[in-house]
Amino acid sequence: MDVPELLVSASLLVPEGSATENDLTVSDIWDYLAHDEWEIALGLLEELGDGDPLPLGFWEKLARAAEQLGLERSADWCHWRCSELRNGVLRADLTLLPAAEARRTTPIPGGGVLRPMWDIGRLSPAGERAVSIARLWVEDLPSLEPGGRATVRLVPLTPSHWTHIEPGRRLTMHEDRSVAGEAVVLEVRPPAAVAPTG
């Protein structure tokens, strides 16, 4: 499929009545598609995806369209949303320790490439602390400076480790044995029932 076909196909998966924060609907997006404004249409479809949960196929089509348009950050975001559907997602308020108090002295990348370890209260069979890994996406920022604070999205690599986590829970972030940051869970969404796609 080419970009317009992918975008039209994705738009057909949006429930009727869905709108962006600015009250733009799929009908408005079709106007952009009719005028070959593909990048705008893609961005608006991504915004529509921030409302009611949309199926995996929606995000896969948007990812392919973004790749064909050469929009790397947008493609990464759409692939990220696919992984949220498959593995679940936690949104949390993360505060990194300042550079003077932690090993990290550089900003953490915000686009889902960092896979820090998290102390979520699990214990090993020997009764020692066991950490779990989750990929990290910083909302609305390309990176987060040491000492900085932001809302982040965590996609667990082993979702079964995270089933006991609820909003309000405090988590400790580690990149090695030392503490890198503290987070408070804001929202928990379990993996969606995802049908295989072809």
Side-chain angles (χ1 to χ4, degrees):
M1 282 187 194
D2 62 13
V3 170
E5 291 172 321
L6 288 165
L7 295 176
V8 167
S9 181
S11 72
L12 294 173
L13 297 172
V14 177
E16 193 173 325
S18 295
T20 67
E21 286 184 5
N22 297 324
D23 292 325
L24 294 173
T25 65
V26 170
S27 296
D28 299 307
I29 293 169
W30 287 343
D31 288 339
Y32 286 107
L33 290 171
H35 293 93
D36 296 335
E37 297 285 349
W38 302 333
E39 191 171 333
I40 294 171
L42 174 67
L44 292 173
L45 284 167
E46 287 177 17
E47 281 186 49
L48 282 173
D50 289 337
D52 293 328
L54 293 173
L56 180 63
F58 172 84
W59 292 107
E60 289 175 333
K61 289 174 191 340
L62 291 189
R64 287 174 44 206
E67 288 166 351
Q68 289 183 30
L69 289 170
L71 302 173
E72 185 177 335
R73 175 93 175 165
S74 187
D76 290 346
W77 173 242
C78 294
H79 285 298
W80 176 270
R81 294 302 299 266
C82 290
S83 66
E84 287 186 356
L85 287 169
R86 289 184 188 107
N87 300 310
V89 63
L90 292 87
R91 293 182 67 245
D93 181 15
L94 172 65
T95 303
L96 295 180
L97 291 180
E101 298 175 26
R103 295 193 59 168
R104 177 174 282 279
T105 58
T106 59
I108 62 170
V113 296
L114 190 66
R115 297 174 183 223
M117 298 170 286
W118 297 88
D119 183 350
I120 59 173
R122 291 182 57 249
L123 297 176
S124 73
E128 298 173 353
R129 181 185 75 197
V131 293
S132 294
I133 298 171
R135 291 175 49 215
L136 183 147
W137 185 287
V138 180
E139 290 186 359
D140 303 320
L141 294 172
S143 62
L144 184 60
E145 299 283 336
R149 180 178 174 185
T151 301
V152 298
R153 300 171 86 95
L154 306 176
V155 170
L157 266 58
T158 308
S160 61
H161 289 184
W162 298 74
T163 56
H164 66 287
I165 303 296
E166 296 180 353
R169 178 77 181 251
R170 293 193 172 277
L171 310 177
T172 305
M173 177 180 144
H174 299 266
E175 291 187 82
D176 56 22
R177 289 190 175 274
S178 63
V179 173
E182 299 285 338
V184 176
V185 177
L186 304 172
E187 178 184 2
V188 178
R189 280 188 241 155
V194 175
T197 58

